Amino acid sequence: MRIAAILLAAGTGSRYGTALPKQFVSLAGRAVIRHAAEALLPHVSLLLPVGDAAMLAEALDGLGAGVIRPAVPGGATRQNSVLAGLEALDRLPAAEKPDLVLVHDGARPFVPAAVTRRVIEALEKQDGAIPCVVVADTLKRNRDGLIAETVSREGLVRAQTPQGFHFPLLLSLHRAAAEAADATDDAALLERAGRAVALVQGDEDNIKLTYEEDLVRLERLVGPALMPRT
Ligand code: CTP
Ligand code: MG
């Protein structure tokens, strides 16, 4: 089985406060995207970053020789960026084309190896698989600062990445859905097509950098020993 990963880094990070897109922000002395690439590399034979080629070349310099490919430009939405990555994988010579593809948020630096392994294993039986964590808190709907209602959390989980799929299936679903490219994850395209997607155990530490306060939580996970000297 050939496994490729698409590493997404083409977003602008509008919910994050800095001009530098969040996936290039320094976390414990390395770019967030570099942590994400290091976490995925042991699991794949090919890693394709999507985003600005010069910034990615610098952030990933010296990593994964022969495995990390030159970046391809992304699109206006996450879904557009995934399609750009899938099309680039489809242009590879037949001998290099993947059987399975993992799609991972470049802003999610610390995916544990066990999570990635569970996703890949689930693809032996399912078309797609995603890591998730349970929702522990009581859920409320906010209407202008007042509670509108309590929403049942029964059966609700929070979706993470890497999400894994059989490559030809994900490519064809993305091509068919390219007109309305509003999906915030890839599993949504399989759901709409009536395909089964396995839920596997994710990890609370598999945090996506979304707001600036998330950087503090992520740095705490690294621990003081690995923090850069100032
Ligand atoms: N992403 C991408 N191309 C886009 C939008 C998002 O490659 N057009 C990537 C981001 O770089 C990120 C991942 O998809 O690694 C998850 O998206 P998200 O956390 O929403 O990042 P942004 O869209 O950049 O942030 P925001 O929604 O706050 O603008
Ligand atoms: Mg976004």
Side-chain angles (χ1 to χ4, degrees):
M1 278 280 176
R2 273 191 307 278
I3 307 176
I6 291 174
L7 185 58
L8 294 172
T12 57
S14 58
R15 287 169 289 178
Y16 199 85
T18 57
L20 182 70
K22 60 190 182 180
Q23 58 274 21
F24 296 107
V25 163
S26 176
L27 166 62
R30 304 214 281 286
V32 166
I33 188 84
R34 190 176 177 94
H35 291 284
E38 284 178 332
L40 286 183
L41 274 172
H43 306 276
V44 301
S45 54
L46 193 157
L47 190 150
L48 180 69
V50 177
D52 182 88
M55 290 178 81
L56 283 163
E58 191 190 330
L60 303 178
D61 183 43
L63 269 188
V67 175
I68 300 187
R69 298 302 164 101
V72 297
T77 68
R78 185 187 186 281
Q79 191 182 320
N80 293 141
S81 294
V82 176
L83 179 57
L86 292 169
E87 293 289 5
L89 294 178
D90 195 49
R91 287 192 295 270
L92 290 168
E96 284 189 275
K97 241 179 246 192
D99 305 294
L100 304 178
V101 62
L102 303 176
V103 182
H104 188 55
D105 295 329
R108 215 180 272 277
F110 295 147
V111 49
V115 170
T116 304
R117 278 198 300 269
R118 285 194 281 271
V119 169
I120 293 168
E121 272 168 30
L123 295 177
E124 286 170 19
K125 296 201 177 122
Q126 303 287 349
D127 294 330
I130 76 168
C132 65
V133 289
V134 295
V135 175
D137 297 321
T138 298
L139 298 177
K140 307 286 186 191
R141 192 178 308 282
N142 177 343
R143 190 173 295 143
D144 302 326
L146 296 174
I147 294 173
E149 61 170 331
T150 299
V151 181
S152 170
R153 67 168 177 246
E154 203 192 323
L156 291 187
V157 294
R158 290 182 286 132
Q160 302 184 331
T161 74
Q163 301 193 344
F165 308 92
H166 290 260
F167 172 69
L169 172 68
L170 192 67
L171 177 63
S172 71
L173 290 177
H174 263 277
R175 280 178 176 164
E179 290 301 304
D182 59 347
T184 54
D185 78 350
D186 299 281
L189 301 190
L190 277 77
E191 294 159 40
R192 290 174 199 172
R195 299 287 190 139
V197 181
L199 291 170
V200 305
Q201 183 63 47
D203 195 301
E204 288 289 348
D205 291 345
N206 185 16
I207 295 166
K208 180 167 69 83
L209 192 59
T210 304
Y211 300 99
E212 272 179 281
E213 55 262 37
D214 298 328
L215 190 66
V216 180
R217 292 165 63 212
L218 285 164
E219 290 205 309
R220 247 186 249 134
L221 289 176
V222 183
L226 290 172
M227 296 286 275
R229 286 168 208 278
T230 49

